[in-house]
Structure formats: structure tokens, C-alpha cells
Amino acid sequence: MTVKILSVALCGILFLTTGALADQVTLSAAASLREVVTGLTDAYRTKHPEVRTLLNFGASGTLAKQIEQGAPADIFISANREWMDYLQNRKLVDEASRCAFAYNSLVFAGITKQPVMGMKELVRLRRIAIGSPRSVPAGEYAAEAFRAAGIEKELAGKLVMAKDVREAMKYAELGEVDGAFVYRTDALLFGKKARILFTVPAGLHDRVVYPMALTATGAGKPGARELFRFLQSAEARKILGKYGFEVK
């Protein structure tokens, strides 16, 4: 009798644990998406209170490396194509699910009193913050724009590397640098002192796109697939627009 009761209890615990894991979705997204992705998942959970979403934000390259090393992730949203390609080439994301989540613009923001209205005027500044191009897409876009504008060598000793785009924005806001290359959405959201000085011409760098995909693990989870569909819905696009992101 005792054995039977114990067996039933263990089965119940196993069922509850399995159910909890099935309703848990882990989403890794670029740092510049923190507020909008949090808002989107909050909206999703109002309709699906049984789903638990675990959010992980950081530089796209850092997140991609984490996934490669086995960190749990069901959905990945990168701030550029490169790091999504990186995982796709290693068959760590579901290629069929890959799509464009949103778009953004690269701007230069700061509190410097010097007139800075374009790329050529950057050479007069002392310190400029960018995300490290090795892992931060915003920094990579900025470096690409420097090369296209022909000012890469002149800026070499002026650059302050940040761990992600949010840290670069913080440096600009605190006045620790003359300005920083960040996304338009970050400048609008966090620019209390720092203001947008100019928008980087689109022709100087690849379009700022956030590709999204289910991971190889997430593709097999119904809960992850449901959240993924929501992130592509009209409701999600409306929320993205409120945060300043472009959806076309």
C-alpha cells in the first residue's frame, strides 16, 4: 500500500515538473530590445498566464556564443544578420523559422557643445563611445560607417569600447565621452541629457535589422512556437512601433 502511494506521488511530481518545463520559454535577445521584448512578453502572458518566459539580454555575439556553448534558449533575436548566420551555419537555429523581427536606425548622441552634424565632424571630438565591434552589432555598424566615410584612421585613438549599446549610451549620458553611436530607440528612451546630434546616413552601413528565429531546441517546443507566432503578430508590431522600432 505504501509502495503504491509512493509510486502515485512520484508520478504526480514528474507530471508537474514536465508540465512546468513545457510551459517555460527562454528568449535571448539583443540588449537594445530589453524594454520592448519585456513589454511584448508581458502582453503575451496576459493571454497565456500559464507560460513562464525567461528573458536573457546582452550583446548579440555574447548571446550567440552562449547558445553555442549549450545555454538554454528557445528563441534568439540578434541585432544583426552576422550572429544569426553564425548559429545557422552551426545548425543551432531553425532556418525555416528565421524572419525579420524589426528594424532600427543608427544615430550619434551626446551632450557635446561642439557642432556635430555629420560624420566628417567627428574628427574634431576627443572621445567617442561605440559597442565593441567584435560582439556588438551597433559597434560593427558604426565601424562600417567610419570606413565608408573615410575617417577610420582619424578616429582610431578616440574610440571608447563599450560592452553593449546600452553602456555606450550611458557613457554619452554621463558626459564621459563627447558622444556615442547607438540605436535611435536607445537615444529616445534614455536620452535625458544626451540628444541625437545626427542620424548616420543609411548608405554608409547595412540596414539595422533584428533577425529572429527559433533555436534547434525551441523548434520542438509548442510553447516556444506559440510565443514566436505572437512576436510576428499585428499586436506585436503595434507594440514595436510604440517603442520606436520600424517593422517594414
Side-chain angles (χ1 to χ4, degrees):
M1 186 68 175
T2 303
V3 174
K4 182 182 286 188
I5 293 172
L6 180 60
S7 177
V8 171
L10 288 173
C11 286
I13 293 171
L14 180 61
F15 174 79
L16 289 172
T17 303
T18 304
L21 291 174
D23 292 333
Q24 179 175 295
V25 180
T26 303
L27 193 160
S28 289
S32 55
L33 296 171
R34 179 183 296 273
E35 286 73 25
V36 70
V37 166
T38 300
L40 285 164
T41 53
D42 285 347
Y44 182 75
R45 286 200 306 272
T46 61
K47 298 179 180 179
H48 302 275
E50 76 284 359
V51 177
R52 182 187 179 202
T53 53
L54 300 180
L55 306 180
N56 181 30
F57 299 101
S60 298
T62 300
L63 297 176
K65 291 287 188 178
Q66 289 175 357
I67 293 171
E68 182 183 27
Q69 292 165 11
D74 300 310
I75 298 172
F76 175 52
I77 311 177
S78 174
N80 70 354
R81 296 183 180 90
E82 178 185 342
W83 289 109
M84 186 63 76
D85 290 343
Y86 180 88
L87 292 181
Q88 183 175 314
N89 292 338
R90 289 159 177 75
K91 302 188 184 304
L92 294 172
V93 295
D94 177 46
E95 183 177 353
S97 69
R98 181 171 173 172
C99 61
F101 174 64
Y103 300 92
N104 213 331
S105 301
L106 188 69
V107 302
F108 184 69
I111 60 175
T112 178
K113 293 181 180 178
Q114 291 198 51
V116 183
M117 295 179 287
M119 298 293 290
K120 296 293 185 180
E121 290 156 344
L122 294 171
V123 299
R124 299 202 301 260
L125 303 180
R126 293 181 302 106
R127 289 162 62 83
I128 297 167
I130 67 170
S132 174
R134 293 185 177 183
S135 60
V136 184
E140 188 174 348
Y141 290 125
E144 186 181 350
F146 299 157
R147 291 191 294 271
I151 58 173
E152 182 180 22
K153 291 182 179 179
E154 294 174 272
L155 297 184
K158 302 174 183 288
L159 301 181
V160 176
M161 298 298 170
K163 67 178 181 180
D164 57 38
V165 71
R166 292 294 171 83
E167 185 171 78
M169 185 65 202
K170 182 179 179 181
Y171 291 159
E173 185 70 10
L174 294 175
E176 295 178 2
V177 295
D178 294 309
F181 281 90
V182 298
Y183 296 124
R184 177 176 177 271
T185 50
D186 290 307
L188 293 176
L189 190 61
F190 297 105
K192 295 179 181 179
K193 296 180 180 178
R195 67 187 192 283
I196 295 176
L197 300 173
F198 68 86
T199 298
V200 180
L204 295 183
H205 61 81
D206 289 338
R207 188 178 184 187
V208 180
V209 60
Y210 293 84
M212 173 175 70
L214 289 162
T215 65
T217 303
K221 295 176 64 172
R225 294 198 301 270
E226 283 296 323
L227 175 57
F228 191 80
R229 278 192 286 270
F230 171 77
L231 293 174
Q232 300 173 76
S233 67
E235 181 180 351
R237 289 196 295 272
K238 187 175 181 180
I239 294 172
L240 281 161
K242 288 182 178 178
Y243 280 86
F245 290 89
E246 303 166 29
V247 293
K248 291 184 180 180

